[in-house]
Amino acid sequence: MAKSFPELLASVRQMLVGLEANAEDVAVRGATPAFTKNGQSLLDSVHALEAEQDSLKAALKTKTAALDITIAQLKTWQSEANSAVKLTYRDQQEKWVEFGIKAKK
């Protein structure tokens, strides 16, 4: 069964502790200090990338909120512009097309 991300991290931490505590015994089977150091480096990289990802998610939420606000402002502006054009050319609906407004027939 696949481990969840937190379970994987906990398992790797426990493995590293065990490998360091029994370095001489496991070295004969290939789990050398360099191997253990590589595992620690990978774990550190995961933590750094996870922190960066969390930071990017927070920044994305902020940018998304700013975008939503700006889009709402743009819609309001367009509505006001449409009203101004329609009132100006109330009797010339064919002129509305110049402004991107579809004339009702």
Side-chain angles (χ1 to χ4, degrees), residues 19-90:
L19 288 173
E20 289 174 2
N22 298 283
E24 288 182 27
D25 295 336
V26 295
V28 296
R29 296 289 183 195
T32 62
F35 177 81
T36 302
K37 184 177 178 181
N38 184 47
Q40 183 63 53
S41 177
L42 290 169
L43 183 62
D44 294 344
S45 291
V46 165
H47 285 302
L49 289 168
E50 186 178 28
E52 182 180 1
Q53 183 182 48
D54 289 343
S55 176
L56 290 170
K57 284 179 184 177
L60 179 60
K61 284 181 183 178
T62 300
K63 294 288 185 180
T64 299
L67 178 61
D68 290 344
I69 290 167
T70 306
I71 288 171
Q73 291 171 333
L74 185 61
K75 286 179 180 179
T76 299
W77 177 88
Q78 185 179 33
S79 177
E80 292 171 3
N82 283 346
S83 293
V85 168
K86 287 179 177 181
L87 289 172
T88 302
Y89 299 106
R90 185 179 356 202

Side-chain angles (χ1 to χ4, degrees), residues 6-32:
E7 289 172 335
L8 174 63
L9 295 181
S11 176
V12 167
R13 278 189 221 100
Q14 184 176 0
M15 177 62 72
L16 288 169
V17 168
L19 288 173
E20 289 174 2
N22 298 283
E24 288 182 27
D25 295 336
V26 295
V28 296
R29 296 289 183 195
T32 62

